[in-house]
Amino acid sequence: MKNVSDIVKKKNSTTLKQSFINAMKNREFKEYRNTLKMEENILMKYTSTLEEASFEYHNCKNCSNLWMCKNKVEGYQLMPQREKDTLSFSYVMCPYKKKQEEENRYLQNISYYNLSKELQQASFQKLYKDDVSRVPILKYMTEFMKSYENHEDTKGLYLTGSFGTGKTYLISALFNDMAKKGVKCAIVYYPEFLRDLKASFQTNYQEKFDYIKKCALLLLDDIGAENVSSFNRDEVLGPILQYRMEEGLPTFFTSNLTLEELEENLSLTTSGSDKVKARRIIERIKQLTKQMELVSKNRRV
């Protein structure tokens, strides 16, 4: 009398083989199977998974960029790996995904606080080339990068100008470039950062404050657009600027206000007028930066 387990085993083997034979009727599966260089008795145990791997193989074969990816996990292909008489499957990164990972590695060196995706991807290659008003600023940035790389003392930039002229984009392009060279940077939309900082009193206030205060390169974007209070001015902005001035940490600002207008703005709080404390902030900014103006058309309209 035949052993029941032997009968079941033989039946299962027949079923696996038939499934594999059926799959081989598919031209694309057959082509994929021939790339594997493995014995049929091993492959037929994994027909359904191999069919999925075959589908992803052909997706990749006909793909010319990451945005075309049709695989289950974008930028990855399901692939088999032989381990003696068994197969294991894992997702392997495609060349386009590897390129993207390499290009975005700089993101580990830069923090963005409430910044648009466009600014996070800002680069010198994408700058408008038809605006001569940007030439002095680009010259400054070239000199800044050279001085910074040579470990020379160099000032940041207080960049003023009207709304929509591209002030933040220019400095974001500089910071993204520096991050690609391994420099830790932070780009902070200042009004929103103050609101976020205030909301974090009971959680991670000190951690956020210290990171901004101590990062190698800092951009305070749109300073002067915040709601001025004596706390924001004297307990947040003042200590940040004082520390960075003492430590020689380059600091950048963008604003729609000139320094004179910013001083007037900072002197008026809900507690009244205090021109002395506002003047102290402005003097720190002057110590930290070179002042430049961008006069250009509004690029946002």
Side-chain angles (χ1 to χ4, degrees), residues 155-211:
K155 287 188 174 186
L157 184 65
Y158 184 89
L159 185 57
T160 186
S162 56
F163 178 83
T165 53
K167 301 182 296 295
T168 306
Y169 192 97
L170 280 166
I171 299 179
S172 295
L174 170 65
F175 274 43
N176 287 338
D177 192 82
M178 296 298 287
K180 290 173 184 177
K181 297 174 181 177
V183 181
K184 296 291 184 181
C185 309
I187 303 177
V188 176
Y189 178 61
Y190 190 56
E192 186 60 34
F193 173 72
L194 288 174
R195 287 189 285 270
D196 187 46
L197 196 63
K198 185 178 180 180
S200 67
F201 271 129
Q202 303 301 320
T203 53
N204 59 342
Y205 173 92
Q206 198 61 47
E207 179 184 345
K208 290 180 178 179
F209 181 78
D210 285 345
Y211 182 83

Side-chain angles (χ1 to χ4, degrees), residues 118-119 128 131 133-134 159-170 221-222 254-256 294-301:
E118 179 190 14
L119 293 172
Y128 291 105
D131 193 343
S133 64
R134 297 179 176 212
L159 185 57
T160 186
S162 56
F163 178 83
T165 53
K167 301 182 296 295
T168 306
Y169 192 97
L170 280 166
D221 180 43
D222 212 7
T254 65
S255 182
N256 294 331
L294 179 58
V295 180
S296 182
K297 64 181 181 180
N298 188 343
R299 298 280 182 177
R300 299 183 188 175
V301 295

